[in-house]
């Protein structure tokens, strides 16, 4: 019985081997004719799914030839300006790299005596090196198509060649000037995919791309924020502002962070540094006026707002900040339990000075009741402006 079972096993193995040989032979025949190439590729890929075939070099090589033939046909059609799927062309290149890198891992296995005899590495590395630029081009193609996942895969493979044993001796990390650029685009794709791991993976290399450095800092900052890594988020913002103070991303987010955490001195210092770079910027001046308002440095705030309004009367926040500077002074003085007649008059004058700024702000942004409503209510009440008071009282109720 055991002999019969063994015999049946041997017969099955022989049948499998013969079927496999026929499948490889058919694939090679199709490759030679340039027909049914996708079928040839698929049949070889299916054979490799069986772990028993993983070390069969003939299958790997046939798979590569099927992919290479598809690439050559597509490249020829593009050269002749015939219709062809460009995405398919680039994907063929990527699969060629995957296949020969896979075969290299088989080629690099030790024999029974622990020796490694590389048969294909030098030849295959030279073959792929010719096409490596198309991994970069493929990544750029898919970025333009906004297929960021596929684009990342291309740039990842392009960069990964620098550490692939197959390309030992090419030293891409030292000789390829496009590595930082490829790393930047890989980071960009990771950022667009909102994938922190992909974003950070090539960040160190991407920061060597001086052309896109400010954008790199932006992507890193936003990713750190998404990861809730506040310390690194702020650190990158500070570096970004220091190096690129005119770049619109860093300044407003640093101000937002400082003011939200009541670090007003740091916020004021940032505004002063910004104004040193561009002292005519009304945005920087208005932002500084907001910080001065928070610091209760009201006179400086009013003077700055007046200078902003004189230059550009459409900057709404300047009216609000100036009005609130007068209004806050009046409210703070009004809290005193005992007031002299002179102090009462000064308080009234402060309310009167606040009034035109806040009414102007209300007129310009009527929907912002939460900002101008209560101050105007208080001013109308203290200035005995009955008609205006009744109107705003009904409005706020």
């Amino acid at each position: 019985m055991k002999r019969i079972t063994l015999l049946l096993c041997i017969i099955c193995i022989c049948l499998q081997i013969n079927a496999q040989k026929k499948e490889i032979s058919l694939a090679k025949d199709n490759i030679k004719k340039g027909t049914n190439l996708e079928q040839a590729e698929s049949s070889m890929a299916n054979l490799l799914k069986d772990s028993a075939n993983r070390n069969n070099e003939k299958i790997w090589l046939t798979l590569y030839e099927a992919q290479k033939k598809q690439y050559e046909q597509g490249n020829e059609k593009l050269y002749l300006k015939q219709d062809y799927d460009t995405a398919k062309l680039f994907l063929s290149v990527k699969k060629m790299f995957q296949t020969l890198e896979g075969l290299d891992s088989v080629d690099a296995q030790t024999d029974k005596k622990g020796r490694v005899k590389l048969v294909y590495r030098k030849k295959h590395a030279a073959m792929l090196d010719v096409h490596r630029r198309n991994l970069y081009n493929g990544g750029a193609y898919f970025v333009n198509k906004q297929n960021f996942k596929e684009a990342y895969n291309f740039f990842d493979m392009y960069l990964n060649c620098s550490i692939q044993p197959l390309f030992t001796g090419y030293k891409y990390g030292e000789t390829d000037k496009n590595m930082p650029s490829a790393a930047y685009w890989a980071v960009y794709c990771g950022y667009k995919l909102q994938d922190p791991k992909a974003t950070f993976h090539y960040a160190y290399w991407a920061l060597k791309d001086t052309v896109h450095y400010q954008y790199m800092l932006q992507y890193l900052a936003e990713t750190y924020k998404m990861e809730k890594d506040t310390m690194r988020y702020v650190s990158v913002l500070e570096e970004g502002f220091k190096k690129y103070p005119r770049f619109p991303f860093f300044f407003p987010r640093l101000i937002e962070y400082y003011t939200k955490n009541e670090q007003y001195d740091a916020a004021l210092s940032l505004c002063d540094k910004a104004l040193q770079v561009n002292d005519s910027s009304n945005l920087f001046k208005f932002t500084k006026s907001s910080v001065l308002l928070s610091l209760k440095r009201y006179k400086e705030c009013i003077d700055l707002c007046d200078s902003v309004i004189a230059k550009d009367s459409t900057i709404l926040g300047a009216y609000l900040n100036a009005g609130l500077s007068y209004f806050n002074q009046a409210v703070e003085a009004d809290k005193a339990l005992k007031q002299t007649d002179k102090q009462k008059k000064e308080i009234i004058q402060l309310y009167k000075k606040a009034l035109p700024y806040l009414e102007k702000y209300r007129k310009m942004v009527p929907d912002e009741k939460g900002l101008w409503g209560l101050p105007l209510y208080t001013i109308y009440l203290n200035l005995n402006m009955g008609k205006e008071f009744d109107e705003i009282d009904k409005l706020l109720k």
Side-chain angles (χ1 to χ4, degrees), residues 57-202:
E57 296 170 359
K58 289 182 179 179
I59 299 175
W60 285 101
L61 291 169
T62 307
L63 175 61
Y64 170 75
E65 290 299 329
Q67 294 163 343
K68 181 185 175 185
K69 194 70 172 182
Q70 290 178 72
Y71 170 75
E72 289 173 346
Q73 286 183 352
N75 204 37
E76 183 179 358
K77 286 184 178 180
L78 286 178
Y79 179 77
L80 296 173
K81 296 182 179 180
Q82 297 175 359
D83 290 336
Y84 190 75
D85 187 343
T86 306
K88 185 178 178 181
L89 178 72
F90 286 124
L91 289 169
S92 294
V93 175
K94 188 178 75 167
K95 287 187 286 187
M96 286 160 56
F97 273 77
Q98 290 170 330
T99 298
L100 291 191
E101 286 175 4
L103 175 55
D104 186 67
S105 65
V106 174
D107 193 28
Q109 290 179 358
T110 56
D111 61 17
K112 293 180 180 180
K113 295 183 179 181
R115 297 171 300 183
V116 176
K117 295 182 179 180
L118 296 170
V119 177
Y120 302 105
R121 178 171 291 180
K122 186 175 181 180
K123 176 184 176 183
H124 288 173
M127 287 162 55
L128 290 180
D129 180 64
V130 175
H131 301 292
R132 183 168 170 267
R133 176 68 192 187
N134 274 330
L135 291 176
Y136 188 105
N137 294 337
Y141 171 83
F142 283 107
V143 166
N144 288 333
K145 296 295 181 180
Q146 297 189 30
N147 185 343
F148 300 112
K149 185 175 181 180
E150 195 62 73
Y152 179 85
N153 292 336
F154 272 86
F155 288 119
D156 179 49
M157 179 165 281
Y158 181 89
L159 292 158
N160 188 255
C161 288
S162 66
I163 59 172
Q164 274 291 329
L166 175 60
F167 297 103
T168 299
Y170 281 78
K171 297 182 180 180
Y172 290 125
E174 300 171 23
T175 61
D176 185 355
K177 295 180 181 180
N178 291 315
M179 293 293 276
S181 175
Y184 163 76
W185 287 112
V187 170
Y188 174 75
C189 292
Y191 163 76
K192 296 295 285 186
L193 292 167
Q194 294 190 319
D195 182 342
K197 185 178 179 180
T199 304
F200 292 137
H201 188 64
Y202 292 110

Side-chain angles (χ1 to χ4, degrees), residues 92 107 129 140 155 255 273 298 300 346 356:
S92 294
D107 193 28
D129 180 64
F155 288 119
I255 286 292
K273 289 175 182 176
Y298 297 126
E300 293 174 72
E346 289 175 349

